[in-house]
Amino acid sequence: MKIYTKTGDKGTTSLFGGTRVPKHHIRIESYGTVDELNSYIGLLRDQDTDNDTKEFLTEIQDRLFTIGSVLATDPEKATLKNGKERLNIPKISQEDIEKLEKEIDRMNDDLPEMTHFILPGGHQSVSFCHITRCVCRRAERLSSALYDIEAFDDKVLVYLNRLSDYLFVLARMLSKQLQAEEIQWIPKKS
């Protein structure tokens, strides 16, 4: 497989199905940000954490490839002439969303109650997690904007929303595991 094709040299790229669009198209921004998110999840997986978390992050990366594929598919070409779906991969399921929720609940049960907003930071791994959460929120915003223009499976939006919650709780769990101080944001009085 040749890495460079030169087909994008004039600022366009091909969607799954062959439709060409500008590289700044909202669809490209959406799945490009999901790709960026996937890379940051890989960075989190490379941190010093337990094997269960690493395995769960690998599963999330798999799901993000699915989301990227959904977002990269031209809705007008999502169904082939024979009636089959162009994407022959497992879709984002309610079970995928529930796995995130169960993991959030499991981690949260072991954390102190949160009474204030928390300032990102305290340890490099925690900071990476907060950056990943912010990239996830951007992927969600861009995907939501795309959804308003051309709808796709709404479980993608639910998954991204839940994933950002997971990443927030993961940051708190990492703080606890790494014995990093969580600094509460307490607004100054005027």
Side-chain angles (χ1 to χ4, degrees), residues 101-112:
E101 292 171 348
K102 286 177 186 169
E103 190 61 13
I104 290 167
D105 292 342
R106 184 194 67 74
M107 290 187 296
N108 215 29
D109 285 346
D110 197 35
L111 294 172

Side-chain angles (χ1 to χ4, degrees), residues 156-176:
V156 165
L157 295 176
V158 176
Y159 189 88
L160 289 172
N161 186 38
R162 211 64 83 250
L163 179 56
S164 65
D165 296 334
Y166 165 81
L167 292 166
F168 176 77
V169 177
L170 178 62
R172 293 199 67 216
M173 185 198 76
L174 290 173
S175 288
K176 182 178 179 183

Side-chain angles (χ1 to χ4, degrees), residues 15-172:
L15 298 176
F16 197 45
T19 304
R20 294 207 62 85
V21 296
K23 289 186 177 184
H24 60 270
H25 190 281
I26 185 74
R27 185 171 292 285
I28 308 306
E29 288 286 345
S30 297
Y31 74 74
T33 305
V34 169
D35 186 35
E36 181 184 355
L37 172 60
N38 205 333
S39 296
Y40 275 105
I41 296 284
L43 180 65
L44 288 180
R45 198 168 37 86
D46 291 341
Q47 301 306 301
D48 187 21
T49 188
D50 60 276
N51 284 334
D52 289 341
T53 299
K54 288 178 187 282
E55 286 177 24
F56 197 73
L57 290 169
T58 301
E59 185 175 328
I60 289 169
Q61 287 185 290
D62 174 81
R63 302 290 60 218
L64 289 175
F65 263 99
T66 295
I67 288 172
S69 298
V70 168
L71 297 175
T73 302
D74 180 348
E76 292 182 13
K77 297 187 177 180
T79 305
L80 300 171
K81 290 180 183 177
N82 63 9
K84 292 185 179 181
E85 291 186 27
R86 181 172 296 281
L87 286 179
N88 188 20
I89 57 174
K91 301 220 177 357
I92 297 298
S93 67
Q94 187 61 37
E95 181 181 317
D96 294 322
I97 295 162
E98 289 169 3
K99 280 183 183 178
L100 283 173
E101 292 171 348
K102 286 177 186 169
E103 190 61 13
I104 290 167
D105 292 342
R106 184 194 67 74
M107 290 187 296
N108 215 29
D109 285 346
D110 197 35
L111 294 172
E113 183 180 353
M114 198 175 89
T115 57
H116 294 82
F117 286 111
I118 297 168
L119 298 178
H123 187 281
Q124 187 176 38
S125 295
V126 175
S127 295
F128 286 152
C129 200
H130 281 291
I131 290 167
T132 306
R133 174 184 54 80
C134 292
V135 173
C136 185
R137 285 288 189 207
R138 180 163 31 96
E140 182 185 7
R141 288 190 303 272
L142 288 166
S143 297
S144 175
L146 174 61
Y147 186 84
D148 282 351
I149 298 165
E150 295 177 316
F152 47 84
D153 182 358
D154 62 356
K155 286 187 189 73
V156 165
L157 295 176
V158 176
Y159 189 88
L160 289 172
N161 186 38
R162 211 64 83 250
L163 179 56
S164 65
D165 296 334
Y166 165 81
L167 292 166
F168 176 77
V169 177
L170 178 62
R172 293 199 67 216

